[in-house]
Amino acid sequence: MQTKNIGLRNIEVADTKISAIDGINGKLIYRGYDILDLVKKSTFEETACLLLNEDLPTQDVLSAFSDKLVATREIPEGLEKTLRNIPKTANPMDVLQSTVSMMAVYDTQKTDDRETNYNRAIDLISKIPIIVACWDRIRNDKEIIQPSKKLNHAGNFLYMLTGKEPDTEASRIFDICLILHAEHSFNASTFAAREVASTRANMYAAVSAAVGALSGELHGGANFQVMKMLLEIGSVEKVEQWIKDKLAKSQKIMGMGHAVYKTFDPRAEVLRELSRKLAEKTGQPWYAITKRVEEVTEEEMKKIKSSDIFPNVDLYSASAYYMLDIPMDLNTPIFAISRASGWTAHIIEEKFAEAAPKPMLYRPKAVYVGKYCGPSGCEYVSIEKRLAQI
């Protein structure tokens, strides 16, 4: 007997007011606002506040939210000591997952009401980039850069990572990247967070689960693989043959295609332009190579399947991060830096949804397709006699 809807594809498991994806028309909506409008007019701080508060904030609300983000930027001394004791060869996502779960032991708030979880959300959004930046400095035997009180969320991370204050353009480009990655409905990591939250586990446990889900190469690691691809290709002239060779072996071209979008991913549309601007700024070839990858893949896939394939969010984010001098293996942690806002919004919604004052524990049903030995089950055979049966 075969199960249907493997991976819960197209199964509606909950209501949400946080975001919506229109895969047919290529739309991504945060709390009713089009992502293409937000990246033109908003900031990451305002977008995160929107996700947590159900609507765009007033100036007073946004100022209070931003001030809290800045005020909680420092990580506990014990957490910093833990980071220093981790092997420097550790995977950054493993480091992030373990330290996020450890944040629970430093939380002195005893209640689990909405306001407390709102404060925890701000704490996580603020501290996750600090953890990532500190870890990168520690593993490279560099002094930790103390967080700035004057830089915005995006600018402070780049400053703590590199030791140099980013210029206005670089800071704004990274700010837009964070907006684009902040939320994407019930993807694997968000569903993991909500499933854990449904057990009444604390927010840190739920976010730690989300980080774990994001660490998988089928979810959060794709833009790292895209950059490896671009480095392997090396030049625009080599793109066409490289793509043809991969497709001839039925291998996937990273950054192309999406499980939900059947047209252009709106985030990729924005990131393409950001990558172009950074290429002009830095003189690096990665935008040109990426653009050619997109073109050749589309041309070749039409020959094979007679159907269109479009770039996803990973294709151009890889080159954008690389040209911002961000280490390749931090691409997925940066995803977490941004998505912390969406995760925490979903956790709060899961815990306190008005439509479900007593939300149910997630408990999907599986279809058993294992060994069947009759109504009473298989007969237990003692271990001494089992060898004789083989």
Side-chain angles (χ1 to χ4, degrees), residues 233-243 285 288-290 292-293 296:
I233 294 172
S235 69
V236 174
E237 294 74 24
K238 295 179 180 179
V239 170
E240 184 172 355
Q241 191 58 51
W242 192 93
I243 297 294
I289 297 173
T290 307
R292 189 61 183 145
V293 167
V296 175

Side-chain angles (χ1 to χ4, degrees), residues 168-211:
T168 302
E169 185 180 21
S171 181
R172 177 56 181 162
I173 286 173
F174 189 56
D175 186 66
I176 292 172
C177 290
L178 295 182
I179 294 172
L180 292 170
H181 284 96
E183 165 57 13
H184 209 239
S185 192
F186 273 52
N187 54 80
S189 56
T190 299
F191 182 67
R194 291 192 69 134
E195 192 276 332
V196 172
S198 79
T199 71
R200 293 295 178 270
N202 64 52
M203 182 174 280
Y204 302 102
V207 171
S208 178
V211 174

